[in-house]
Amino acid sequence: MKIKNILTLAGAAAGSGYLLCDLISNLLVDRKFAMPEKVGNIFSGAKMTEMRAAALKNREWLEDYGYERYSITADDGTKLMGYLLRPEKPSKLFMFGSHGYRSEGRREFSGISQYYLSRGFNVFLVDHRASGESDGKYIGFDYFESKDCIKWLNFLNDTFGEDISIVLHGISMGSATVMMMAGDENLPGNVRLIVADCGYTSAWDEFSYKLSTMKVPEKPLLPIVNAINIRKAGYDFRDTSAIESVKKAKVPMLFIHGGADEFVPTYMIYLLFDACASEMKDMMVVDGADHASSFIIGREQYEAKIDEMLEKIAVTV
């Protein structure tokens, strides 16, 4: 595809924000900007079949388990939806799930919810703006989402009491979101642990990486698209920097990444871990796991590592 054509397509896509990610994640090939099936177009072949089968089984389990619906209104008037799954016994422990690009809370965390419920946690899952059942026109690649989630945490404290203990768990864009929250001065003090699974260092870095895989220069494409995004969506891709945020983190953090991740490259976990200022931090790379598949590929290892962190911070029912 010629650079001129890429610029034309990118300009059209940037106004919707998330379509830019479609453009880049589809490796800049010449195809229509049809709405993909959530995050599914990251994978192909046998991996796609495996992921879809596991996701379907887990989602059916979640729907059978049942949940309560909640909603709040973001500062800009956007209606946001959240879902609460309660454990068998009343508990002051809450896991707050932050999903990835083009996904939704109940889909992304249907498997991981089983783990937290078995440990006595309430599970609170949100649909980020422009995703699932939440309103909104633009996805912010963690810019809007981190602010919305701080508002959600305040809602949880107001509704269930400030004596609850919260674990933030994010996947992909949702991981970048919880990392942005880690350095936010408004993060509630009862957040005890942040689990960041396959997050990128920044939206700019992620888009630049995708361009480099196709040997397309970052300039002039990315600055032009960013300028359009600033005008249309109201934010700068350079303001979505998880790596800058974790430099201010004080909450214990666990970083997880797939060793075979080619969507958000594995090397980013090492940059994020090294930059993290938390006194207590750990990391785990799951061999053979592609993007957002670490829990499915290495479930026992994944659960054992979170168990280890929960024990270290003395979080019990």
Side-chain angles (χ1 to χ4, degrees), residues 248-309:
K248 299 177 286 185
K250 298 179 182 179
V251 178
M253 296 194 66
L254 171 60
F255 298 89
I256 300 174
H257 218 106
D261 195 337
E262 296 181 355
F263 188 72
V264 175
T266 305
Y267 69 76
M268 287 188 176
I269 189 177
Y270 301 105
L271 300 177
L272 289 162
F273 180 81
D274 289 343
C276 180
S278 298
E279 291 185 6
M280 183 183 297
K281 60 182 180 179
D282 202 350
M283 63 177 288
M284 178 181 71
V285 175
V286 178
D287 292 341
D290 204 331
H291 187 63
S293 66
S294 291
F295 182 76
I296 293 175
I297 300 300
R299 181 166 182 164
E300 291 185 6
Q301 178 186 2
Y302 199 108
E303 294 182 348
K305 180 57 71 171
I306 301 178
D307 282 342
E308 181 182 321
M309 288 297 291

Side-chain angles (χ1 to χ4, degrees), residues 20-27 42 101 141-142 172-173 176 198-214 218 222 237-238 240-243 257 261-269 271-272 291:
L20 169 64
C21 194
D22 282 350
L23 174 73
I24 297 176
S25 68
N26 282 313
L27 305 182
I42 296 170
Y101 164 77
F141 299 103
D142 73 39
S172 193
M173 183 191 80
C198 66
Y200 44 76
T201 52
S202 72
W204 187 282
D205 291 346
E206 172 63 9
F207 296 153
S208 180
Y209 164 76
K210 279 300 177 185
L211 291 170
S212 71
T213 63
M214 289 300 294
E218 179 181 296
L222 195 47
F237 291 139
R238 288 168 294 199
T240 66
S241 180
I243 196 166
H257 218 106
D261 195 337
E262 296 181 355
F263 188 72
V264 175
T266 305
Y267 69 76
M268 287 188 176
I269 189 177
L271 300 177
L272 289 162
H291 187 63

Side-chain angles (χ1 to χ4, degrees), residues 43-105:
F43 306 103
S44 62
K47 177 63 69 176
M48 172 69 84
T49 301
E50 178 186 354
M51 295 291 288
R52 280 180 170 168
L56 178 59
K57 181 179 179 180
N58 288 330
R59 182 60 184 270
E60 289 175 347
W61 171 88
L62 186 145
E63 293 297 329
D64 288 341
Y65 189 90
Y67 48 83
E68 303 165 19
R69 293 174 178 268
Y70 293 86
S71 67
I72 62 171
T73 302
D75 292 340
D76 64 356
T78 302
K79 183 180 179 181
L80 305 172
M81 292 298 298
Y83 314 90
L84 174 66
L85 287 73
R86 295 182 183 267
E88 291 184 3
K89 298 180 180 180
S91 169
K92 289 293 186 177
L93 303 181
F94 281 74
M95 184 278 277
F96 181 94
S98 171
H99 68 77
Y101 164 77
R102 291 279 193 168
S103 190
E104 58 185 60

Side-chain angles (χ1 to χ4, degrees), residues 9-238:
L9 292 171
S16 297
Y18 47 78
L19 290 179
L20 169 64
C21 194
D22 282 350
L23 174 73
I24 297 176
S25 68
N26 282 313
L27 305 182
L28 302 176
V29 297
D30 193 4
R31 63 181 69 177
K32 295 180 180 178
F33 289 121
M35 293 284 282
E37 184 185 349
K38 302 296 182 182
V39 297
N41 63 343
I42 296 170
F43 306 103
S44 62
K47 177 63 69 176
M48 172 69 84
T49 301
E50 178 186 354
M51 295 291 288
R52 280 180 170 168
L56 178 59
K57 181 179 179 180
N58 288 330
R59 182 60 184 270
E60 289 175 347
W61 171 88
L62 186 145
E63 293 297 329
D64 288 341
Y65 189 90
Y67 48 83
E68 303 165 19
R69 293 174 178 268
Y70 293 86
S71 67
I72 62 171
T73 302
D75 292 340
D76 64 356
T78 302
K79 183 180 179 181
L80 305 172
M81 292 298 298
Y83 314 90
L84 174 66
L85 287 73
R86 295 182 183 267
E88 291 184 3
K89 298 180 180 180
S91 169
K92 289 293 186 177
L93 303 181
F94 281 74
M95 184 278 277
F96 181 94
S98 171
H99 68 77
Y101 164 77
R102 291 279 193 168
S103 190
E104 58 185 60
R106 289 164 296 165
R107 176 177 180 172
E108 192 98 77
F109 285 91
S110 55
I112 294 174
S113 293
Q114 299 172 38
Y115 161 78
Y116 280 103
L117 287 167
S118 72
R119 268 60 173 180
F121 279 78
N122 295 276
V123 171
F124 195 84
L125 309 174
V126 299
D127 286 345
H128 292 311
R129 60 177 57 211
S131 303
E133 296 181 359
S134 289
D135 293 338
K137 186 176 181 181
Y138 301 112
I139 288 176
F141 299 103
D142 73 39
Y143 180 77
F144 298 130
E145 292 78 7
S146 59
K147 298 175 177 61
D148 292 341
C149 286
I150 293 291
K151 195 174 185 71
W152 270 121
L153 295 185
N154 290 333
F155 168 82
L156 291 182
N157 283 332
D158 290 342
T159 305
F160 301 104
E162 295 185 359
D163 59 338
I164 63 175
S165 293
I166 303 172
V167 172
L168 304 184
H169 194 133
I171 300 174
S172 193
M173 183 191 80
S175 174
T177 296
V178 297
M179 287 189 284
M180 286 289 289
M181 296 165 70
D184 192 320
E185 61 182 10
N186 295 313
L187 183 72
N190 56 345
V191 172
R192 303 290 305 281
L193 172 66
I194 297 177
V195 181
D197 182 348
C198 66
Y200 44 76
T201 52
S202 72
W204 187 282
D205 291 346
E206 172 63 9
F207 296 153
S208 180
Y209 164 76
K210 279 300 177 185
L211 291 170
S212 71
T213 63
M214 289 300 294
K215 297 182 170 45
V216 175
E218 179 181 296
K219 296 180 179 180
L221 176 58
L222 195 47
I224 290 174
V225 173
N226 188 47
I228 297 171
N229 194 68
I230 292 171
R231 178 169 61 86
K232 295 269 188 162
Y235 72 95
D236 190 323
F237 291 139
R238 288 168 294 199

